[in-house]
Amino acid sequence: MSILVTGGAGYIGSHTVVELLNRDENIVIVDNFVNSKPEVLEKIKKITGKDFKFYEVDILDEKKLNNVFEENDIESVIHFAGLKAVGESVEKPIEYYYNNVTGTLVLLKLMRKYNCKKIVFSSSATVYGDPGTPKYIEEFGRGKTTNPYGSTKSIIEQILEDLYASDNSWNIAILRYFNPIGAHKSGLIGEEPQGIPNNLMPFIMKVANKELDHLNVFGNDYEGTKDGTGARDYLHVVDLAIGHIKALEKLNREKSGVFIYNLGTGTAYTVLEIIETFKRVNNVDVPYKIAPRRSGDLAIYYADPTKAKKELGWVCERGIEEMCRDSWNFIKSDK
């Protein structure tokens, strides 16, 4: 029996694959390398000393994805594959809806065909929209999303809930991520966004690495934050990866159901706190300039991780200093 990991060569997928292999799980990876690089696969093998099956497949290609199911006894799926840049999604909504939603439908169709009804889905805190309070609790449900990327996650969550309503033999975990940063302690795998970065940490690293001359900090007049800059819940990518293992263990204990969890630390750090921590722990300079606020940005939000702790036994173990140190170690290490 194998675990299929879609998008397993990507940032979060690769770290999850490492944790799975360290637990001696049999895995199959599919990836089309739109958001990843082929050399990541060899780095995973180097870290773990383990091998795995890999298929270069786009999940939109039903025929090729069918072959993956046909050739392997797949018991469960961890689903990461998808386009993920918020800004790009605003520019290319059709591509995002088609890729993320249709790709997931193709995957679910084949899972049903092969009676594989256990899935952990990579969702996002963006599905909450703006609930009017900074602490996000699972019971809030989905709100009005602010970009097509977030909308695709919300739609897929609805699809999964409808699927369970139609056939309650499905076993589904939906994980709503907050802001993953950091990298594997080996320095071999980490975040390498293709094109213009979408998140704060890749921009910080490009400035620290002198690829960019400064960082734009969008707004320093937000109410309710320590220094006026936006505050977010950042978590270490390895803690996030372990959250997927815990979610899969939960599904293995349960007969069926839909289980939704926030994965975050429960603490919000401001942009300037992240920058100053990065500078201090890595002894590098990160010049920045204050720029106007971006439309749609919230002042502050963070996870209530109580449910994940109670039901999954999952808590974040790595702090902000380790997140910043591991991020820089990945960039400067000789891979």
Side-chain angles (χ1 to χ4, degrees):
M1 306 291 275
S2 298
I3 301 165
L4 175 63
V5 184
T6 71
Y11 176 43
I12 302 167
S14 61
H15 286 83
T16 303
V17 165
V18 166
E19 296 302 319
L20 288 166
L21 291 171
N22 285 342
R23 288 161 174 77
D24 295 321
E25 299 285 1
N26 293 317
I27 67 161
V28 178
I29 296 175
V30 299
D31 205 300
N32 64 357
F33 300 125
V34 167
N35 283 321
S36 58
K37 297 178 179 178
E39 51 264 36
V40 168
L41 302 174
E42 293 307 314
K43 292 172 183 176
I44 291 171
K45 293 174 185 177
K46 186 174 180 179
I47 291 168
T48 62
K50 308 279 179 62
D51 202 358
F52 49 84
K53 293 186 76 172
F54 169 74
Y55 295 81
E56 186 172 349
V57 169
D58 189 318
I59 61 170
L60 285 163
D61 191 329
E62 185 172 343
K63 184 176 180 181
K64 287 185 178 178
L65 192 58
N66 182 77
N67 290 341
V68 176
F69 279 89
E70 199 169 64
E71 294 172 10
N72 299 277
D73 187 8
I74 295 169
E75 180 184 31
S76 54
V77 175
I78 302 180
H79 180 33
F80 295 105
L83 300 175
K84 62 177 186 176
V86 170
E88 185 183 59
S89 77
V90 175
E91 298 169 4
K92 300 179 178 180
I94 292 173
E95 287 81 357
Y96 269 70
Y97 284 111
Y98 180 64
N99 186 88
N100 294 4
V101 178
T102 307
T104 301
L105 289 171
V106 171
L107 173 66
L108 293 171
K109 180 181 176 182
L110 290 171
M111 289 179 67
R112 182 178 62 184
K113 175 181 176 181
Y114 288 91
N115 198 35
C116 170
K117 295 183 177 181
K118 195 181 298 180
I119 183 170
V120 177
F121 172 58
S122 161
S123 191
S124 167
T126 58
V127 303
Y128 288 111
D130 182 3
T133 178
K135 181 189 282 190
Y136 290 6
I137 302 168
E138 290 89 348
E139 285 70 23
F140 287 166
R142 293 180 294 275
K144 180 174 173 53
T145 52
T146 57
N147 55 74
Y149 163 76
S151 297
T152 66
K153 295 295 188 183
S154 184
I155 290 167
I156 293 168
E157 284 196 13
Q158 185 65 59
I159 289 168
L160 290 168
E161 290 176 357
D162 291 345
L163 185 60
Y164 178 75
S166 72
D167 176 1
N168 60 19
S169 64
W170 281 84
N171 214 353
I172 298 163
I174 293 170
L175 304 182
R176 293 174 177 165
Y177 308 167
F178 281 69
N179 294 269
I181 58 176
H184 192 267
K185 62 183 179 181
S186 66
L188 289 172
I189 57 173
E191 188 171 16
E192 289 188 274
Q194 310 283 46
I196 299 171
N198 185 57
N199 301 316
L200 175 62
M201 186 56 75
F203 271 114
I204 289 176
M205 292 192 292
K206 283 184 178 293
V207 175
N209 209 26
K210 302 191 186 313
E211 293 179 51
L212 298 172
D213 61 9
H214 74 278
L215 174 73
N216 284 321
V217 175
F218 298 104
N220 65 345
D221 58 351
Y222 285 106
E223 293 182 8
T225 75
K226 293 178 183 177
D227 52 38
T229 62
R232 303 287 182 264
D233 188 333
Y234 296 92
L235 73 159
H236 199 293
V237 66
V238 174
D239 283 326
L240 179 56
I242 292 169
H244 293 77
I245 311 300
K246 297 287 189 180
L248 195 56
E249 290 172 352
K250 166 77 172 178
L251 296 186
N252 289 336
R253 294 192 300 269
E254 302 287 344
K255 288 186 177 179
S256 65
V258 179
F259 308 95
I260 300 174
Y261 300 101
N262 286 335
L263 295 186
T265 63
T267 301
Y269 293 96
T270 69
V271 172
L272 291 185
E273 282 182 298
I274 297 291
I275 293 170
E276 293 304 325
T277 302
F278 188 94
K279 289 165 62 175
R280 176 171 51 80
V281 301
N282 297 313
N283 194 29
V284 293
D285 191 25
V286 182
Y288 64 87
K289 295 179 181 177
I290 303 300
R293 292 186 187 187
R294 292 180 300 190
S295 175
D297 276 358
L298 301 176
I300 179 172
Y301 65 86
Y302 55 93
D304 181 341
T306 306
K307 186 179 178 185
K309 181 178 180 180
K310 181 180 178 182
E311 296 187 13
L312 302 181
W314 176 85
V315 292
C316 288
E317 297 180 351
R318 295 157 182 83
I320 195 67
E321 291 190 354
E322 194 168 351
M323 297 179 210
C324 290
R325 189 178 295 115
D326 288 345
S327 294
W328 185 234
N329 182 49
F330 168 66
I331 292 299
K332 69 186 177 75
S333 62
D334 182 14
K335 303 175 186 65

